[in-house]
Amino acid sequence: MTRTEAGRPSFRPAGGDMVSGQPNELISRDAERFGSFAAAGGWTFGLLVARSVTKDDPAGAVAEGKVSAKAFAEHAGCAVGRVDRHWKAWQAAAADGLVPDAATLAPGAEVDLPEADVWPGYYAAPGSSGDKGQRVVAEAEAIGASHKKALEITGHRPAMRAAILGDRLTAEAAREALLSRPEERDATLARVLADPDARRAAKAGQRRADHLEYVSRVLDEGTAKTPGGQVVSLALSPAELSDERLARVRSDEPDEPGGDAVEDAYEFVRELVDRAVRSDPDAFVREQRAKFTRTLTATSRNILAIDPDDLVAVADETLLERLVELQARVNDLAATLRAVGV
């Protein structure tokens, strides 16, 4: 790009030859319009409306060269509401002294425009005037998000659904937002409790979250809790730390849809914990004792819960045989412990 004698830019094509005549002027004009919008953003459109449209006296404005918002919109090929929003934004800024009042501007007038990032504070995006729009704007402002983007999303629900289904982080944001609304949280929980598939999915999701937390704590603290409740130290070697199963968990998205990265890492860590326990004789004994205690406690609890009267009412030979076998097994285990002097 070079400069002409008048100071305007002149454009060369990729080959380097000068472009002369009408195309040169068209490109220059487009570049100037592009530059003005890049610098002032929506203020550029606001000025076009403010200097061309009158809202107070459309009939008397004809002599001044101004037109109604409806006539301007028809000529522009857009909705009159869009023109109205730009006019109102300009007048709001005029009330704050940022720009001249629209009534003082004639068609073709040029004024210094504020910075582009000031415009969103005055321009009311479509859908922001009703109660729903005001709530969306208020929520966006509360979290520091763009209210314009938030309002656009409310008008494109199929696109929002596609984003939620296609992107994990978007889905998490949607779930967090829904569960922060009491009525939505209650409805979601009721649906989960009523749907067996949803209950299973919820349990699977919770198990995955627990396993991911377990693995993450091991990586952060270098210790792990055994099934028996012991805390063992895991001095992970460089080779173990660089294992692909742990590396995938440390990534932002450990699982592809349907993937098993978290479970693979969890099983790997459990193997490391089991190895650490077996390498320490005292820890191994404590772990085995805790394991047997859990089993006997659960068995005892289940047997004590049996009501003799209920058992007699339904008992048959099979139940009696199972009970006799269980009694014999308990007697054998007790005899074994007595024989070793426990």
Side-chain angles (χ1 to χ4, degrees), residues 120 123-148 150-151 154:
Y123 180 73
S128 62
S129 57
D131 290 343
K132 182 188 75 173
Q134 291 175 2
R135 290 195 299 271
V136 172
V137 170
E139 289 294 337
E141 292 177 346
I143 64 174
S146 166
H147 64 264
K148 183 178 180 181
L151 289 166
T154 63

Side-chain angles (χ1 to χ4, degrees), residues 59-337:
V62 174
E64 303 173 9
K66 288 194 172 185
V67 297
S68 67
K70 181 180 179 181
F72 188 90
E74 289 175 351
H75 193 70
C78 69
V80 67
R82 183 175 178 85
V83 176
D84 284 337
R85 288 191 296 273
H86 281 80
W87 192 89
K88 291 176 181 178
W90 184 275
Q91 289 300 84
D96 289 343
L98 294 180
V99 295
D101 190 289
T104 67
L105 299 175
E110 296 289 349
V111 299
D112 291 333
L113 298 175
E115 295 294 329
D117 58 2
V118 181
W119 174 256
Y122 291 95
Y123 180 73
S128 62
S129 57
D131 290 343
K132 182 188 75 173
Q134 291 175 2
R135 290 195 299 271
V136 172
V137 170
E139 289 294 337
E141 292 177 346
I143 64 174
S146 166
H147 64 264
K148 183 178 180 181
K149 288 291 185 184
L151 289 166
E152 287 178 357
I153 290 172
T154 63
H156 296 82
R157 291 184 177 86
M160 176 177 62
R161 176 180 173 83
I164 291 173
L165 292 174
D167 179 65
R168 179 178 64 84
L169 296 179
T170 301
E172 289 180 359
R175 181 167 55 250
E176 181 181 350
L178 284 174
L179 295 180
S180 67
R181 302 179 64 181
E183 65 275 17
E184 296 292 349
R185 181 174 63 247
D186 294 344
T188 300
L189 291 176
R191 181 177 179 180
V192 169
L193 293 175
D195 186 348
D197 291 337
R199 286 201 301 271
R200 283 193 291 272
K203 289 180 180 179
Q206 184 59 55
R207 181 172 61 252
R208 180 185 183 280
D210 292 342
H211 289 177
L212 180 59
E213 181 181 2
Y214 180 85
V215 173
S216 299
R217 185 182 300 115
V218 169
L219 293 174
D220 292 340
E221 301 176 3
T223 59
K225 181 175 287 189
T226 69
Q230 299 184 81
V231 176
V232 297
S233 176
L234 291 180
L236 299 179
S237 67
E240 291 168 340
L241 287 171
S242 62
D243 187 277
E244 180 184 1
R245 287 166 288 188
L246 297 183
R248 288 167 62 194
V249 167
R250 287 198 295 267
S251 67
D252 291 336
E253 297 192 29
D255 267 355
E256 295 295 330
D260 297 320
V262 171
E263 291 306 310
D264 290 344
Y266 177 74
E267 291 301 325
F268 179 56
V269 170
R270 289 291 300 272
E271 291 174 9
L272 297 178
V273 171
D274 183 65
R275 191 185 307 163
V277 169
R278 290 181 179 278
S279 66
D280 183 342
D282 291 337
F284 181 74
V285 168
R286 289 193 296 270
E287 196 66 20
Q288 290 294 95
R289 183 180 295 120
K291 173 184 176 181
F292 292 134
T293 299
R294 286 199 309 274
T295 300
L296 293 175
T297 299
T299 303
S300 176
R301 185 185 301 114
N302 290 333
I303 292 177
L304 292 174
I306 297 175
D307 188 312
D309 293 335
D310 292 340
L311 180 62
V312 169
V314 298
D316 59 9
E317 284 296 325
T318 301
L319 282 176
L320 178 59
E321 289 177 3
R322 295 296 300 275
L323 190 58
V324 170
E325 290 174 0
L326 178 61
Q327 182 181 29
R329 180 59 174 165
V330 170
N331 290 339
D332 288 344
L333 292 174
T336 298
L337 295 181

